[in-house]
């Protein structure tokens, strides 16, 4: 029933409702069944917020005036073919001079209303009218009700400059138009129509209530100019986003229930509206989200009611806490993705450098081969400048990450990553990280070491360090490390222990050899490896390895002369100790290390100990060193040979000359002795001469 | 010992021809390098060991390529060492690529050049698809020819090119007559000329052998090779050389092709090693040759050292005992 506040004053006195509308309200008995015009649904706002004063209650007003159907109305067929003419008895005219009710009259057209120029209220509810016509003369009209008709177009209103309330609900209107002259319009009700777009309302600066519920709106904009709008009802549409609401300085209530809003960004203008205090979102996809309530509360601090429920302080507090948490989470994940991206870029960078290196090295070796017999591969000087991320890569990042990364002046050229039990090294610069002070716990946990984009020869040099710093490393992985020779596996023998070995075919040509696995098993048999490249090592594999290469080991150990054995083994040990000394410095602790190591070396299958690997650089260095010695040796031997040949020549010459010399000696002697006496005299003479 | 031709040479040249100086220089060099270690057990012993190993052919193990290439004896020793070490690979039946064989070579000589291996592979594969797989015996015999006679082959190649380009006016363009081994080895590509005339080729080679200071295959055997055919290509010639038993025997490094996989002494040793493989349950099936066959002596023509597999005591330390064994074999 009608709330007491709005119960009308008896008599024909105009009652000023606070909004400044002049309306005649009369009390009279109301046959209820006539007044089911406004379904509760449309104006439930009226019912539910009774505390708000100064609102217009059309339907209450409607109820207040009597209108018994058809009692005092005469519809006379006129001379004009389609339009009936309305006439009222003069008694009626005097009694109800400013209002006329023609509801449920089965009207299909608006009748011509004669002699009623003072009319202020006209009610055409529940008819079948298709066009608004014949009311242009009612220029004092303030209230026009055409609810529940069949009107397809708003028209015929251009003379009704005083119109304040226009009710066109439940019609077939497709477009808002022809309202230009209705500048005093206070309430515009267009619910239950087929309107798809808000337009042509920008001049209605007095409009306070706009009802566009149950239409076909898909978005809300074009609301500027509605400077008095207090309530906007947009329920039951297909709205996905809302704009322009912040241009409504007086808007207090906005009903968006049962639309298609799914993200707060689509209604972001609501946050900027200082006047909004009441909003509904129920029935939208957004209301199903877990973050719905606190996001709305957080963004619209001015709200007092959400979905028809008061917002408590508690709720507001919760909302701000949750919002902060969300912010943190987002920041975290942003940081994480930033880190990941950086990692990815670094790895790409390293990969690119590696590629470049390989290509240059390849060109160099083919040139070398053409030049000389024994190619000595000098490592080519690679341009050491760091390469920044190329544009095509940054293009794949989203804008936030890109800007953050460009803040990094230089992208790393190597990457070291410890992830639980795996130590990953990318790029040769990463090898230096082995010198770092690793905490005992971290180092102890590492069981897998993975090398990528590093030359194997460089890795060989740091293997002793690896042995010391990461004693529990059991699994080694090599990818893009340029393993090309079986020999290189010899270098792995110096480690303490290897359980698993993974050689990725990418970048390691050695995997293409048929025999590589057997060679590894053979050379590293003292490790009793369990897996190679993921496959278990079987007894048969070990046997085959031994069968294939056993003789090599035998030859290498037993057939080498002793001095060679010592020199080869000595070399290897010398090298290892050299590394140890370099890394650890002269700490007293090393002495034990060395002893232990040497003991362990002996433990290794000495059969194979002579199979060593020296990196090409070292080998060439060694050969260079030997050159001097060789030259000296050559000269020395030459001298010896010269001496020997001289002596030989002299010897031969003597051999040739001796017979002759002998004959001459004999002849001389015979000639001397021929005369015994003179010989005796000669001898005595010689003796005396000697004295 | 006192052959007249030996005495006819002046001293230095005699020494050079027998490469004595090379070994002397190398010995002294090794001495210098390992001064500290060797001084511990005496220089005399060092020299003994050194020259013993030269005799046995083990001196080239893990040495640099320049040394291995220095004398024919070194080369032959190297070939033999390669055969002995990797015979098992061949026996296993694996076919390997050129790169892998090169890897195996590098296990014994770290700086062995790739070109030689490539050239050897070319002999086997006739320049097709260098990534093709080769059998151990094919590769080994081709490698033998290429490595041992590498300078000779270079000169032969030059001669061949000359003949091909028609320096000798007698070159006739005639399709090669069919001859068993050579047919499938014809050079593809140049449709006009197919090889050179054999007799002409032989004449040039004979001249080469006479004046060449590097080692050449015995001319008589070369003649034998060339007498079978009218015309032949360069690679055809090389293939014939590599497959010729006589040349192989003349070289004296490797056994005959049929016996390539046989090395009873080593097989015995291998059995012993296999038994030591940790965790072995069943004894490995003994290869039949290991126990029964007596060791053979491939005929050696003028080779300065004794075949090693004669000495049964292979596992003995090489600290002088081999000396005695050698004496006993003389």
């Amino acid at each position: 029933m009608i709330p007491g506040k709005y119960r009308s004053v008896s008599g024909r006195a105009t009652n000023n409702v606070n909004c400044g509308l002049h309306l005649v309200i009369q009390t009279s008995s109301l046959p209820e069944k006539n007044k089911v015009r406004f379904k509760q649904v449309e104006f439930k706002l009226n019912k539910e917020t009774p505390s708000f004063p100064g609102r217009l209650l059309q339907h209450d007003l409607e109820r207040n005036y009597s209108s018994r159907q058809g009692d005092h109305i005469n519809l006379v067929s006129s001379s004009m073919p389609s339009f009936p003419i309305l006439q009222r008895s003069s008694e009626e005219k005097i009694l109800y001079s400013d209002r006329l009710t023609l509801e449920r009259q089965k009207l299909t057209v608006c009748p011509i209303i004669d002699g009623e120029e003072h009319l202020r209220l006209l009610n055409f509810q529940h008819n079948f009218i298709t066009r608004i016509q014949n009311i242009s003369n009612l220029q004092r009209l303030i209230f026009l009700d055409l609810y529940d008709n069949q009107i397809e177009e708003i028209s015929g209103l251009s003379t009704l400059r005083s119109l304040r309330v226009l009710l066109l609900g439940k019609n077939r209107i497709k477009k808002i138009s022809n309202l230009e002259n209705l500048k005093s319009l206070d309430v515009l009700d267009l619910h239950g129509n087929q309107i798809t777009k808000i337009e042509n309302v920008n001049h209605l600066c007095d409009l306070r209530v706009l009802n566009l519920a149950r239409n076909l709106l898909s978005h809300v904009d074009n609301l500027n100019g509605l400077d008095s709008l207090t309530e906007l009802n947009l329920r039951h549409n297909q709205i996905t986003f809302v704009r322009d609401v912040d241009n409504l300085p007086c808007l207090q209530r906005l009903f968006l229930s049962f639309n298609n809003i799914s993200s707060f960004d689509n209604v972001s203008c609501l946050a900027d509206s200082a006047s909004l205090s009441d909003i509904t979102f129920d029935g939208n996809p957004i209301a199903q989200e877990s973050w719905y309530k606190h996001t709305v509360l957080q963004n619209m601090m001015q709200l007092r009611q959400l979905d028809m429920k008061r917002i408590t302080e508690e709720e507001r507090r919760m909302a701000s806490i949750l919002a902060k948490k969300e912010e943190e989470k987002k920041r975290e994940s942003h940081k994480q993705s930033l880190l990941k991206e950086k990692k990815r870029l670094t790895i790409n960078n390293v990969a690119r450098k590696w590629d470049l290196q390989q290509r240059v090295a390849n060109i160099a070796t083919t040139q070398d081969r053409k030049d000389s017999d024994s190619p000595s591969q000098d490592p080519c000087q690679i341009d050491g400048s760091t390469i920044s991320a190329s544009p095509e890569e940054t293009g794949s990042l989203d804008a936030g990450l890109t800007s953050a990364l460009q803040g990094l002046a230089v992208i790393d050229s190597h990457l070291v990553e410890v992830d639980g039990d795996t130590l990953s090294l990318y790029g040769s610069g990463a090898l230096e990280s082995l010198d770092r002070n690793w905490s005992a716990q971290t180092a102890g946990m590492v069981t897998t070491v993975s090398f990528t984009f590093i030359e194997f020869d460089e890795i060989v040099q740091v293997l002793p360090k690896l042995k010391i710093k990461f004693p529990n490393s059991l699994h080694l992985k090599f990818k893009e490390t340029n393993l090309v020779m079986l020999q290189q596996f010899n270098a792995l023998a110096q480690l303490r222990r290897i359980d698993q070995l993974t050689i990725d075919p990418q970048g390691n040509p050695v995997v293409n050899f048929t025999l590589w696995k057997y060679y590894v098993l053979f050379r590293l048999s003292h490790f009793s490896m369990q897996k190679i490249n993921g496959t278990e090592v079987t007894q048969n594999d070990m046997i085959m390895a031994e069968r294939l290469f056993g003789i090599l080991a035998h030859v290498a150990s037993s057939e080498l002369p002793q001095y060679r054995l010592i020199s080869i083994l000595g070399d290897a040990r010398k090298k290892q100790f050299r590394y140890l000394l370099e890394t650890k410095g002269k700490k007293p602790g090393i002495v034990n290390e060395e002893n232990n190591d040497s003991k362990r070396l002996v433990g290794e299958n000495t059969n194979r100990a002579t199979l060593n690997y020296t990196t090409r650089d070292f080998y060439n260095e060694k050969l260079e060193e030997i050159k001097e010695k060789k030259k000296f040796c050559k000269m020395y031997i030459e001298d010896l040979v010269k001496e020997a040949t001289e002596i030989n020549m002299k010897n031969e010459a003597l051999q040739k000359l001796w017979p002759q010399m002998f004959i001459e000696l004999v002849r001389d002697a015979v000639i001397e002795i021929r005369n015994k006496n003179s010989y005796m005299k000669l001898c005595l003479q010689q003796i005396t001469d000697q004295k | 010992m006192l052959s007249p031709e030996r005495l006819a040479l002046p001293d230095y040249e005699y020494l050079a021809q027998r490469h004595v100086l090379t070994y002397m220089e190398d010995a002294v060099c090794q001495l210098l390098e390992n001064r500290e270690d060797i001084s511990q057990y005496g220089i005399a012993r060092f020299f003994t060991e050194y020259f013993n190993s030269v005799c046995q052919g083990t001196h080239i193990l893990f040495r640099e390529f320049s040394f291995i290439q220095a004398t024919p004896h070194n080369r032959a020793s190297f070939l033999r060492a390669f055969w002995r070490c990797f015979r098992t690979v061949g026996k296993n039946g694996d076919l390997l690529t050129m790169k892998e064989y090169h890897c195996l070579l590098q296990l014994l000589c770290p700086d062995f050049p790739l070109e030689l291996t490539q050239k050897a592979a070319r002999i086997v594969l006739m320049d097709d698809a260098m990534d093709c797989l080769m059998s151990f015996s094919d590769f080994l015999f081709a490698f033998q020819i290429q490595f041992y006679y590498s300078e000779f082959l270079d000169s032969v190649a030059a001669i061949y090119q000359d003949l091909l380009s028609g320096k000798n006016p007698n070159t006739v363009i005639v399709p090669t007559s069919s001859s068993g081994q050579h047919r499938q080895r014809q050079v593809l590509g140049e449709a006009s000329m197919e090889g050179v005339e054999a007799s002409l080729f032989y004449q040039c080679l004979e001249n080469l052998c006479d004046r060449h200071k590097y080692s050449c295959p015995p001319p008589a055997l070369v003649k034998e090779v060339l007498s079978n055919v009218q015309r032949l290509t360069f690679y055809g010639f090389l293939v014939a050389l590599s497959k010729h038993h006589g040349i192989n025997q003349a070289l004296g490094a490797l056994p005959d092709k049929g016996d390539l996989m046989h090395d009873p002494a080593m097989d015995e040793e291998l059995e012993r090693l296999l038994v030591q493989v940790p965790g072995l349950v069943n004894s490995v099936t003994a290869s039949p040759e290991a126990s029964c066959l007596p060791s053979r002596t491939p005929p050696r023509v003028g080779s300065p050292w004794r075949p090693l597999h004669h000495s049964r005591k292979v596992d003995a330390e090489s600290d002088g005992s081999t000396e005695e064994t050698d004496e006993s074999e003389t």
Side-chain angles (χ1 to χ4, degrees), chain A residues 320-503:
Chain A
S320 73
I321 292 174
L322 283 168
K324 262 196 218 117
K325 266 198 212 153
E326 282 270 333
E327 186 62 36
E328 284 241 359
K329 226 197 295 175
K330 235 203 288 177
R331 241 180 299 158
E332 252 320 297
S333 71
H334 184 85
K335 226 191 337 175
Q336 287 296 331
S337 53
L338 204 70
L339 262 174
K340 232 190 257 179
E341 194 53 37
K342 184 168 175 215
K343 221 190 279 184
R344 189 184 74 86
L345 279 178
T346 306
I347 293 180
N348 274 348
N349 194 18
V350 175
R352 226 165 336 133
K353 271 182 105 175
W354 171 261
D355 255 345
L356 211 70
Q357 243 177 324
Q358 295 306 303
R359 245 176 278 156
V360 178
N362 275 340
I363 296 173
T365 51
T366 46
Q367 275 180 353
D368 276 347
R369 270 195 216 118
K370 285 183 201 145
D371 300 337
S372 59
D373 270 342
S374 51
S376 60
Q377 297 178 20
D378 302 316
C380 300
Q381 299 303 315
I382 309 294
D383 178 17
S385 60
T386 48
I387 307 168
S388 58
S390 60
E392 57 263 22
E393 283 184 347
T394 53
S396 62
L397 307 170
D398 64 317
L401 282 175
T402 316
S403 54
L405 279 169
Q406 277 169 358
L408 299 168
V410 157
I411 293 186
D412 293 335
S413 60
H414 64 266
L415 179 66
V416 179
E417 193 186 8
V418 178
D419 189 9
D421 65 351
T422 306
L423 168 68
S424 307
L425 302 165
Y426 298 87
S428 52
L431 295 177
E432 290 161 1
S433 72
L434 289 174
D435 287 331
R436 269 194 238 162
N437 280 329
W438 296 91
S439 77
Q441 198 192 20
T442 323
M445 270 180 54
V446 168
T447 57
T448 306
V449 183
S450 148
F451 300 94
T452 318
F453 301 122
I454 311 174
E455 288 275 354
F456 189 79
D457 289 356
E458 291 177 26
I459 299 174
V460 164
Q461 293 171 32
V462 301
L463 283 178
K465 280 189 222 171
L466 189 70
K467 196 160 71 162
I468 296 172
K469 296 262 178 169
F470 294 97
N472 291 337
S473 53
L474 296 174
H475 181 181
L476 294 185
K477 292 167 105 169
F478 296 94
K479 182 173 167 179
E480 290 280 2
T481 53
N482 232 3
L483 269 169
V484 291
M485 301 190 282
L486 294 175
Q487 246 186 318
Q488 289 174 303
F489 288 117
N490 293 346
L492 294 177
Q494 60 182 291
L495 291 172
R496 204 165 278 160
R497 207 179 142 202
I498 302 180
D499 270 352
Q500 272 195 62
L501 191 61
T502 305
I503 313 282

Side-chain angles (χ1 to χ4, degrees), chain B residues 65-209:
Chain B
F65 179 69
S66 50
F67 178 66
I68 295 179
Q69 204 192 27
T71 71
H73 171 66
N74 284 3
R75 296 185 193 187
S77 314
F78 183 73
L79 288 168
R80 191 165 175 77
F82 183 73
W83 168 68
R84 290 175 69 229
C85 288
F86 297 113
R87 174 186 60 94
T88 42
V89 171
K91 202 156 152 192
N92 202 34
D94 287 310
L95 297 178
L96 308 178
T97 58
M98 182 268 298
K99 283 223 173 86
E100 200 159 359
Y101 280 120
H102 184 66
C103 233
L104 295 180
L105 283 167
Q106 279 186 316
L107 283 175
L108 291 178
C109 168
D111 60 347
F112 202 89
L114 188 60
E115 292 96 49
L116 275 181
T117 327
Q118 275 177 338
K119 284 186 192 167
R122 235 175 258 143
I123 297 177
V124 179
L125 301 170
M126 300 297 282
D127 238 352
D128 296 336
M130 289 297 280
D131 285 336
C132 261
L133 303 170
M134 299 179 276
S135 76
F136 184 71
S137 57
D138 282 348
F139 176 74
L140 189 55
F141 285 116
F143 179 70
Q144 173 180 248
I145 295 293
Q146 175 61 51
F147 183 47
Y148 195 82
Y149 295 124
S150 42
E151 294 87 357
F152 173 71
L153 287 190
D154 287 342
S155 311
V156 170
I159 291 176
Y160 183 79
Q161 286 303 319
D162 286 346
L163 285 181
L164 262 189
S165 57
K167 279 204 178 158
N168 195 322
N170 288 337
T171 310
V172 175
I173 304 166
V174 165
T176 321
S177 66
S178 59
S179 147
Q181 348 175 338
H182 299 297
R183 194 182 338 187
Q184 70 266 33
R185 301 293 192 164
Q186 298 316 319
V187 168
L188 311 157
E190 289 170 304
S192 52
M193 298 199 215
E194 295 242 7
V196 296
E197 213 189 326
S199 47
L200 195 56
F201 194 49
Y202 176 65
Q203 282 171 17
C204 303
L205 289 187
E206 214 178 358
N207 294 338
L208 183 65
C209 289

